[in-house]
Amino acid sequence: MWLKFEQRPEPSRLMRYLSPLLAVGLMVASGMLLFHLLGKSPVEGFKVFFLNPIQDKYGIAELFLKATPLILCAVGLAVGFRGNIWNIGAEGQLLIGALAGGGLALHFHDTSSLLLLPAMIIAGALGGMFWAAIPAWLKTRFNANEILTSLMLVYIAELIVSWLVHGPWMDPDGFNFPQTRLFQAKATMPILVAGTRVNAGLLIAIGALIAGWIFMNRSFMGYQMKVAGQAENAGRYAGFSARRTVWIGMLVGGAMAGIAGVAEIAGPVGQITEHISPGYGFAAMIVAFVGRLDPIGIFFSGLLMALLYLGGEQAQQYLALPYSISKVFQGLLLFFLLCSDVFITHRIRWKK
Amino acid sequence: MQPSLLSSILFATIVAGTPLIITAVGELVTEKSGVLNLGAEGIMSMGAVAAFAVTVHTGNPILGILAGMVAGMGMGLIFAVAALTFMANQVASGLALSIFGVGLSAFIGKPYESQTLPSVAAWNVPGLHKIPLLGHAFFEHQGLVYFSWALLGAVAWFLYRSRLGLVLRAVGEAPVAAHSVGYNVVRIRYVAVIFGGAMAGIGGAFLSVFYTPLWVEGMVAGRGWIALALVVFATWRPARVMVGAYLFGGCMITQMFVQGSGIQLNIPSQFLSALPYAATIIVLVIISHNKNTIRLNSPASLGQPFSPEA
């Protein structure tokens, strides 16, 4: 052992904010190393991956478009993570939310009511909550580990989507493609900036950030969640119900993920297919951590993660690298963050 | 002689359960040392892709397994550095490892997508494989199936009959006490985590080189998570891992047999495919229902970081 960590007398506030930046720096550096190893110019790789995607209005709009589901899911997850509720099934909750909202859109395909879109969003939230309620119930009633149950439900949700788009909900005029018919205008999110795809979903995400900030920092329940998460026993002595913490953590996460699902199908996707989400529910966990489980942080980390998705598309197009390079960057980022966090409570001591 | 249906079902169940046993036994050892590594899905993915790539280039499945094992050890090492040296939250680090491993394996595996390997020949146990019914089911397997049985026996012996196993369990139950009598808790945990990684890597290698000799993105399909659930199901006891793994193996092959048998069922295939995942949930519920079983059997320090200074 050459390096040892020495406990700081008290956690460093400075490092709390520096560690995400350090993590981003390390991710970029290792990304450039990766480009080098792949025989690409690191500078060129950096440009293509991190700068290309946001060089014009359309690119920046795409950044916010991609950030929308990530931010929505991450705010919801952060509420749970603060209370030590490990909902890792946001991806499934997103899909079930999309089915609930999308089902409504398909059923009322001919309506001209302006209420359709709001109803879809509410249905999406309820759908996501329902899917999250299953692990919550299994946890509170049967003590079953929510990490594993919520994750298993992701696979089940994917199979339900697959069944619906191959079967009952398949577009009759779709030449047998596994997808539903395209949603009508009243069932799609209004575009915010003409000439781009960024839509009203972004406003919902920003609303969720504000609501999340108020809940976490200004409400008694948010405080209870935090205490329960940081010091379980203290929470118990104070009479905070662990059961309620689980329910709130899971349901808020599910509702947000469900809304994110509707934002996708009523936004860029425009129908239900098997490819509603390129893993937004999982990436959102990274967004939540990198954002320090804090709405302001989540806003920025959501944009960063969106950039990683866009960068992956660019790398695929201009560097002929597989799209999954995005996920490599995402995983690296989370690792570096988790490791940098040691500096909040410790400092390095070098040993001979 | 054509093996009977029952014999075939048993055979397929054992094959499907094998990667689960190997991975879950590795995780069991890791957890016994007090470390919760949720990265099994990512490690298996890396093991699968490494094994496949090396087997494609060398034509040698043994080298493939070794590559899968080395990849798994590397992944275990990454996790150990984060969770043990940097004392990062184990749950979060494990999730990171899973996301990273699934992503990186997809990245590395892109050029190998849609390639296939010749299937690896089975090794029939002399004499025993001629037993009617059971012979085919148990003794006409590929080598890794026998390896999974040997592994189970070895780990059970190690944990409960060897001195080192006792030390490992002590580190998981009471790291502070183990530290105070002079054991290097962090180093022992490093070894346990890397061993767990090696096994998950082999579990992944089994999938891509033996089970379905091809590589496709997402082919691990939750088996890493199911293996984690198996450890809970087994209440941290090796023999029960085997029972659980074959239970799940049976679940996984049910759909193949139903679909292949020509029985006209009015059930969409997706519902059958969901069976193993639903079964995992149900089994977890049944086992976790009694809080005492979990509390008494899980290693007392599971998931808690340990710092030798504190």
Side-chain angles (χ1 to χ4, degrees):
Chain A
M1 283 272 179
W2 313 279
L3 88 167
K4 274 218 141 170
F5 293 107
E6 192 176 65
Q7 192 125 25
R8 289 179 195 269
E10 56 188 290
S12 157
R13 286 185 71 88
L14 179 68
M15 278 316 296
R16 219 180 116 68
Y17 295 100
L18 275 187
S19 99
L21 297 179
L22 180 64
V24 173
L26 287 170
M27 175 198 70
V28 172
S30 51
M32 289 171 77
L33 180 70
L34 181 68
F35 287 130
H36 177 71
L37 292 175
L38 293 166
K40 320 272 174 191
S41 146
V43 178
E44 179 66 16
F46 179 84
K47 272 190 196 152
V48 168
F49 201 96
F50 293 101
L51 300 180
N52 255 7
I54 44 168
Q55 58 189 356
D56 54 13
K57 184 178 92 174
Y58 184 81
I60 291 168
E62 285 292 297
L63 186 73
F64 280 96
L65 179 74
K66 277 260 187 299
T68 298
L70 292 167
I71 289 173
L72 277 166
C73 290
V75 175
L77 289 178
V79 170
F81 288 169
R82 282 186 166 220
N84 256 342
I85 309 304
W86 295 97
N87 173 14
I88 65 167
E91 181 80 2
Q93 292 143 24
L94 181 151
L95 293 176
I96 298 296
L99 289 183
L104 218 55
L106 294 172
H107 189 76
F108 294 103
H109 188 71
D110 301 319
T111 185
S112 56
S113 168
L114 287 173
L115 290 176
L116 179 57
L117 189 61
M120 283 168 65
I121 294 166
I122 293 167
L126 292 175
M129 282 166 90
F130 164 67
W131 213 240
I134 301 172
W137 181 65
L138 297 177
K139 168 95 176 175
T140 52
R141 175 74 182 75
F142 300 105
N143 189 38
N145 183 310
E146 79 276 18
I147 297 176
L148 295 169
T149 53
S150 64
L151 197 272
M152 288 296 127
L153 285 165
V154 174
Y155 293 99
I156 297 178
E158 283 173 354
L159 288 162
I160 294 176
V161 172
S162 160
W163 165 59
L164 286 172
V165 299
H166 280 99
W169 289 9
M170 192 197 267
D171 181 3
D173 307 318
F175 306 101
N176 245 355
F177 278 110
Q179 57 195 30
T180 65
R181 65 200 299 181
L182 280 168
F183 296 160
Q184 56 131 323
K186 290 280 183 295
T188 43
M189 295 271 182
I191 296 290
L192 290 183
V193 182
T196 71
R197 302 200 297 164
V198 68
N199 59 52
L202 177 64
L203 302 180
I204 301 176
I206 290 170
L209 282 174
I210 295 168
W213 190 86
I214 293 169
F215 177 82
M216 290 179 201
N217 298 307
R218 289 287 178 271
S219 79
F220 184 57
M221 211 179 268
Y223 172 71
Q224 283 185 343
M225 298 280 298
K226 201 163 129 186
V227 172
Q230 284 177 351
E232 204 182 323
N233 288 331
R236 204 175 304 133
Y237 292 134
F240 303 159
S241 157
R243 205 169 272 256
R244 204 167 63 187
T245 313
V246 174
W247 277 104
I248 294 171
M250 293 299 289
L251 290 184
V252 173
M256 291 297 161
I259 294 174
V262 173
E264 283 308 289
I265 54 156
V269 186
Q271 63 188 154
I272 302 174
T273 75
E274 285 183 291
H275 310 287
I276 299 170
S277 158
Y280 289 136
F282 295 111
M285 294 194 285
I286 305 175
V287 172
F289 280 116
V290 175
R292 307 264 72 146
L293 306 183
D294 176 90
I296 299 167
I298 286 171
F299 175 75
F300 290 108
S301 65
L303 289 176
L304 171 67
M305 197 65 56
L307 181 61
L308 296 186
Y309 272 114
L310 295 180
E313 286 170 11
Q314 296 283 326
Q316 189 178 24
Q317 204 173 340
Y318 296 106
L319 302 174
L321 292 174
Y323 179 55
S324 38
I325 193 170
S326 295
K327 285 188 182 149
V328 177
F329 274 91
Q330 291 174 7
L332 281 175
L333 178 62
L334 182 51
F335 260 119
F336 288 133
L337 178 83
L338 293 169
C339 290
S340 323
D341 274 359
V342 78
F343 299 114
I344 298 172
T345 50
H346 292 73
R347 56 178 141 232
I348 290 189
R349 200 179 61 202
W350 297 93
K351 273 214 321 194
K352 279 178 216 152
Chain B
M1 191 184 75
Q2 198 64 15
S4 71
L5 181 65
L6 179 63
S7 180
S8 304
I9 290 177
L10 276 173
F11 178 88
T13 298
I14 287 171
V15 174
T18 297
L20 297 176
I21 293 184
I22 300 174
T23 305
V25 167
E27 177 71 17
L28 177 78
V29 171
T30 302
E31 292 193 14
K32 278 282 181 192
S33 80
V35 184
L36 179 68
N37 182 356
L38 294 178
E41 182 81 4
I43 306 178
M44 283 181 87
S45 304
M46 286 297 289
V49 80
F52 188 83
V54 167
T55 312
V56 164
H57 290 300
T58 63
N60 185 340
I62 309 269
L63 287 179
I65 299 171
L66 287 177
M69 187 179 84
V70 170
M73 291 170 82
M75 292 290 280
L77 181 65
I78 294 174
F79 176 80
V81 169
L84 301 177
T85 299
F86 285 83
M87 288 169 282
N89 180 311
Q90 292 181 10
V91 173
S93 313
L95 294 176
L97 194 71
S98 271
I99 295 173
F100 178 67
V102 171
L104 186 60
S105 65
F107 183 75
I108 295 172
K110 202 73 195 173
Y112 300 97
E113 200 119 276
S114 79
Q115 288 191 41
T116 52
L117 287 170
S119 55
V120 177
W123 182 71
N124 299 345
V125 181
L128 293 177
H129 82 105
K130 294 218 172 94
I131 304 171
L133 191 68
L134 300 180
H136 171 67
F138 290 97
F139 302 112
E140 292 185 351
H141 283 291
Q142 294 161 325
L144 274 185
V145 172
Y146 308 116
F147 169 78
S148 73
W149 297 339
L151 177 70
L152 260 178
V155 164
W157 176 85
F158 168 77
L159 284 175
Y160 298 105
R161 292 279 180 276
S162 77
R163 224 185 72 82
L164 265 177
L166 184 69
V167 172
L168 182 88
R169 285 186 293 142
V171 164
E173 291 294 338
V176 178
H179 175 69
S180 65
V181 293
Y183 291 114
N184 190 331
V185 172
V186 171
R187 190 173 301 165
I188 291 166
R189 287 184 168 179
Y190 254 87
V191 175
V193 167
I194 291 170
F195 175 77
M199 292 307 116
I202 295 178
F206 180 83
L207 288 176
S208 65
V209 177
F210 292 79
Y211 191 56
T212 48
L214 53 86
W215 163 260
V216 272
E217 189 179 336
M219 68 177 292
V220 176
R223 285 183 181 86
W225 297 102
I226 292 176
L228 291 175
L230 268 180
V231 179
V232 180
F233 168 78
T235 58
W236 293 268
R237 271 174 275 190
R240 293 190 184 179
V241 167
M242 187 164 177
V243 177
Y246 291 150
L247 209 69
F248 281 101
C251 238
M252 285 172 173
I253 60 130
T254 304
Q255 58 150 337
M256 295 193 313
F257 273 88
V258 170
Q259 282 170 358
S261 66
I263 306 169
Q264 285 302 315
L265 278 181
N266 225 353
I267 306 172
S269 66
Q270 287 92 351
F271 283 38
L272 293 168
S273 305
L275 263 180
Y277 309 113
T280 307
I281 295 175
I282 292 165
V283 155
L284 270 177
V285 165
I286 293 169
I287 296 296
S288 313
H289 181 45
N290 186 345
K291 278 192 183 181
N292 286 329
T293 354
I294 299 297
R295 201 178 302 136
L296 287 177
N297 291 298
S298 67
S301 74
L302 186 60
Q304 286 162 16
F306 173 80
S307 160
E309 291 176 54

